[in-house]
Amino acid sequence: MTGNIFFLWRGRGLTEPVRLTVEEQEILNWAKSKDGEFARQIMKWNDFDLSVCRAKKAQLKGRCMVWVVNNEERQRYLDQLNQKSKSSR
């Protein structure tokens, strides 16, 4: 009999091993995949922006901008947008 067993960390130490359900294993597999890692990065890159969006749902009416590049790359994109808007005037 095979299965996935993980030790849970509770308080001061490890507890007994726990078997994951098929759904939990699928979620864990996705979280460890490239898509899951990217989703985690998006959440980190947009942490502040998302907290503002959640706090001001009514004012923003569900609209919120989410970056899909890290902070260093944002400036390059903003510069490109500024150049395009200046050239279209």
Side-chain angles (χ1 to χ4, degrees):
M1 182 180 250
T2 62
N4 295 306
I5 298 176
F6 289 87
F7 291 93
L8 295 179
W9 181 268
R10 289 193 187 145
R12 298 186 185 121
L14 294 176
T15 65
E16 70 283 350
V18 175
R19 290 199 183 275
L20 298 178
T21 66
V22 171
E23 182 181 7
E24 291 168 330
Q25 183 62 50
E26 288 173 356
I27 292 168
L28 180 61
N29 289 342
W30 179 83
K32 293 170 63 177
S33 72
K34 287 184 180 185
D35 286 341
E37 290 290 328
F38 186 53
R40 187 174 13 258
Q41 287 302 316
I42 288 173
M43 292 299 294
K44 286 180 183 178
W45 295 331
N46 293 282
D47 185 45
F48 174 76
D49 302 302
L50 291 172
S51 65
V52 171
C53 292
R54 288 182 189 125
K56 300 188 178 218
K57 287 179 188 176
Q59 295 96 324
L60 296 172
K61 299 179 183 176
R63 289 178 246 138
C64 192
M65 185 174 84
V66 176
W67 286 95
V68 293
V69 296
N70 65 35
N71 293 336
E72 292 78 34
E73 292 180 73
R74 289 181 189 187
Q75 191 58 49
R76 182 170 49 104
Y77 285 101
L78 291 171
D79 292 343
Q80 288 174 355
L81 288 172
N82 287 335
Q83 287 175 353
K84 286 180 183 179
S85 67
K86 288 177 185 177
S87 65
S88 64
R89 290 182 188 171

